[in-house]
Amino acid sequence: KLPAHGVPGTKYERTFIAVKPDGVQRGLVGNIIARFEAKGYKLVALKMVWPTKEMASKHYADLSSKPFFNGLTDFFSSGPIVAMVWEGDNAILGGRKMLGTTNPRDSEPGSIRGDLCVITGRNIIHGSDGPDSAEHEINMWFKPSEVNDHALAEAAWVYED
Ligand code: UDP
Ligand code: MG
């Protein structure tokens, strides 16, 4: 089981980011990956997967009592997603800020949702909202062997030490 806060050989947070089915259908995968790369976070895991309704329900288990849960999990299992783990200093909260607010109406221009989508039900991207959800989501979508511990040469230019 992989912790969200570092693993042997790493010292930074890890967060689970997924381009939802609408983002994949709209051809926004490259745009979204480019933003995380440009920020300086490190991509340590990536796969395309078509979630089942059961996987969608497990992923969004915290929201199971919400009126939108059935529609949300139908939508999340309606096509492939691009599941990723990004690593970096403050990557969980920093990633959430890059996403923008849940309702894109309130998302600032410059954020992913502020720039690329319009309504809450089609807000194109998921990001872990804290260390506990990051750990749950990383372990739900990836086996430990699918998450990499490689060093990046550019780390010396992103961090001081
Ligand atoms: N959602 C929705 N209606 C709502 C609130 C949320 O359809 O009133 C969907 C939306 O796609 C959102 C997802 O449920 O991204 C998960 O909700 P959460 O509050 O966790 O927002 P997020 O963490 O994605 O910003
Ligand atoms: Mg959430």
Side-chain angles (χ1 to χ4, degrees):
K1 201 169 165 224
L2 294 164
H5 280 272
V7 296
T10 73
K11 53 186 171 182
Y12 299 118
E13 280 183 359
R14 290 177 164 181
T15 187
F16 177 76
I17 300 289
V19 183
K20 295 183 188 178
D22 49 347
V24 172
Q25 290 295 332
R26 292 182 52 207
L28 297 173
V29 173
N31 182 309
I32 288 168
I33 290 176
R35 291 172 186 240
F36 281 86
E37 284 187 324
K39 168 73 173 170
Y41 293 153
K42 180 167 73 172
L43 181 62
V44 295
L46 180 148
K47 67 171 128 181
M48 186 178 232
V49 47
W50 191 326
T52 61
K53 176 88 168 167
E54 289 68 32
M55 291 159 81
S57 302
K58 189 177 169 197
H59 174 75
Y60 282 120
D62 288 357
L63 301 173
S64 59
S65 63
K66 302 285 186 188
F68 57 82
F69 181 73
N70 191 48
L72 171 62
T73 51
D74 273 349
F75 168 67
F76 199 73
S77 56
S78 68
I81 66 168
V82 173
M84 298 174 274
V85 180
W86 289 90
E87 179 183 301
D89 178 69
N90 194 41
I92 300 171
L93 183 59
R96 288 289 298 191
K97 288 191 170 177
M98 289 174 65
L99 262 57
T101 54
T102 301
N103 187 338
R105 280 190 184 185
D106 304 318
S107 301
E108 295 295 332
S111 67
I112 290 165
R113 288 167 173 165
D115 286 349
L116 302 176
C117 60
V118 181
I119 64 162
T120 302
R122 296 290 183 270
N123 63 6
I124 71 170
I125 186 165
H126 169 83
S128 305
D129 64 7
D132 292 344
S133 61
E135 190 172 320
H136 168 252
E137 291 164 3
I138 291 168
N139 284 289
M140 185 191 146
W141 293 101
F142 291 99
K143 295 182 284 198
S145 63
E146 294 175 322
V147 182
N148 296 280
D149 289 329
H150 59 303
L152 278 190
E154 73 163 32
W157 302 96
V158 176
Y159 299 104
E160 287 185 297
D161 51 5

